[in-house]
Amino acid sequence: MVVFGAIEAGGTKFVCAVGTGPADLRARTEFPTTLPQETIARAVGWLKEQGQHAPLAAVGIGSFGPIDVNTASPWYGFITTTPKAGWRNTDLVGPIRRALGVRVAFDTDVNAAALGEQTWGAAKGLSTFVYITVGTGIGGGGLVEGRLMHGALHPEMGHMRIAHDWRADPFPGLCPFHGDCWEGLASGPAIAARWGRQPEELPPDHPAWPLEARYLALGVANLVCALSPQRIILGGGVMRQAGLLPLIRQMTLELLNGYIQVEAIVQHIDQYIVPPRLGDNAGVLGAMALAIGAHRRAAAPGGRLGDLL
Ligand code: ZN
């Protein structure tokens, strides 16, 4: 019986786990993200300890970014241009692979979460879909025709430019790179800065929520048009606000305005824009799915993850 290690490397905390899936999550821990050397050593130490009970076949890492996922690049496995203090140009994969001596799979936190949802959750059976998290930032990833989206770098959906009506919302946005990009207008910190209160303290009838729903629907409608996903999963702390998801569904339909006549969207929007199914473990289970995929691909080159699980 093989067991896999998983690391959800977040800007605020690291979550580590070992197991083979949601029904077999054998151990899990989390600790704050401090400086790289200390944080990586802590993850390695914990995984080493767990590996004494059952040897790890591979480790998966879903990381905050931007990161280098190009296996041909000398910077593969690095966190690159992050604004997070101390983490710029940090090699994450190298020290973990060297310390544990196993195959390490590496991708963005949102691509990992997307793969986890496809393997065990809200995107089972789908080949083309998008996973978006709305929390401290906005991130998006997903699969196209069964493959995780990479390309020139990897998707940075949170930094899409969306329509910003300055008269209705004079808040300039807080992205250090773009000001009023999607994340700059609609992340949790953007809500807090605009209204002077944390999102969870804003009552359900506060005007913050229709505005938030409109911004999220604008991004979702753009993604529907750009990528033609079979489903869009919306997760993250901000999405815990009751009533936000139905508003986003309604506004997305209004923005599309009947142009995309697909039954899954027009007739079944409540099954088209959905919450994640793996809950708080989506990230770390996604990292585990990355590890399983890498292990199985090594065992059967050319095989697809879905054929092997
Ligand atoms: Zn931005």
Side-chain angles (χ1 to χ4, degrees):
M1 183 72 186
V2 288
V3 176
F4 301 92
I7 302 172
E8 178 191 2
T12 313
K13 62 177 182 181
F14 267 47
V15 183
C16 301
V18 297
T20 61
D24 179 33
L25 203 53
R26 298 182 187 194
R28 181 192 188 278
T29 187
E30 57 180 74
F31 44 86
T33 307
T34 56
L35 286 172
Q37 212 182 351
E38 183 185 31
T39 315
I40 294 168
R42 205 163 165 184
V44 163
W46 187 82
L47 286 171
K48 262 190 176 164
E49 198 185 306
Q50 300 304 316
Q52 287 169 2
H53 309 301
L56 303 177
V59 171
I61 306 171
S63 176
F64 71 99
I67 60 174
D68 193 334
V69 291
N70 174 7
T71 50
S73 158
W75 307 109
Y76 171 75
F78 278 60
I79 295 175
T80 58
T81 52
T82 179
K84 186 169 174 60
W87 283 83
R88 188 176 274 249
N89 301 323
T90 292
D91 185 5
L92 196 51
V93 169
I96 292 171
R97 186 164 46 205
R98 285 192 292 275
L100 296 173
V102 294
R103 188 176 299 277
V104 175
F106 182 59
D107 217 308
T108 63
D109 44 6
V110 276
N111 263 355
L115 187 62
E117 290 292 334
Q118 193 216 26
T119 312
W120 300 297
K124 254 186 140 168
L126 302 184
S127 63
T128 301
F129 68 95
V130 170
Y131 176 98
I132 294 158
T133 179
V134 188
T136 317
I138 296 184
L143 280 79
V144 170
E145 300 291 345
R147 296 177 72 97
L148 286 165
M149 292 182 204
H150 290 144
L153 176 71
H154 49 72
E156 280 288 351
M157 297 178 193
H159 297 271
M160 286 193 294
R161 315 312 295 259
I162 58 165
H164 177 195
D165 180 346
W166 285 84
R167 274 176 308 179
D169 175 26
F171 178 67
L174 44 61
C175 174
F177 290 87
H178 318 110
D180 62 349
C181 64
W182 202 20
E183 173 174 301
L185 287 174
S187 62
I191 299 172
R194 180 185 291 109
W195 303 103
R197 288 158 80 182
Q198 290 302 314
E200 58 272 22
E201 293 165 4
L202 295 166
D205 59 351
H206 194 280
W209 298 117
L211 183 69
E212 178 69 8
R214 175 154 179 91
Y215 285 144
L216 294 178
L218 278 163
V220 165
N222 287 345
L223 292 168
V224 171
C225 295
L227 295 169
S228 190
Q230 295 161 309
R231 189 165 293 156
I232 292 187
I233 303 170
L234 287 179
V238 170
M239 291 307 303
R240 292 201 187 111
Q241 172 64 33
L244 187 55
L245 193 57
L247 266 183
I248 294 166
R249 289 176 179 139
Q250 180 198 325
M251 290 181 182
T252 301
L253 284 177
E254 286 167 16
L255 288 165
L256 294 172
N257 199 25
Y259 180 66
I260 297 179
Q261 280 298 329
V262 174
E263 199 182 305
I265 300 176
V266 181
Q267 306 289 336
H268 305 291
I269 191 75
D270 53 335
Q271 291 155 53
Y272 184 72
I273 303 175
V274 301
R277 280 222 197 113
L278 300 178
D280 290 341
N281 282 329
V284 77
L285 284 169
M288 194 172 285
L290 285 174
I292 295 170
H295 175 71
R296 301 286 168 91
R297 272 194 306 279
R304 285 161 66 106
L305 178 58
D307 303 335
L308 296 156
L309 274 172

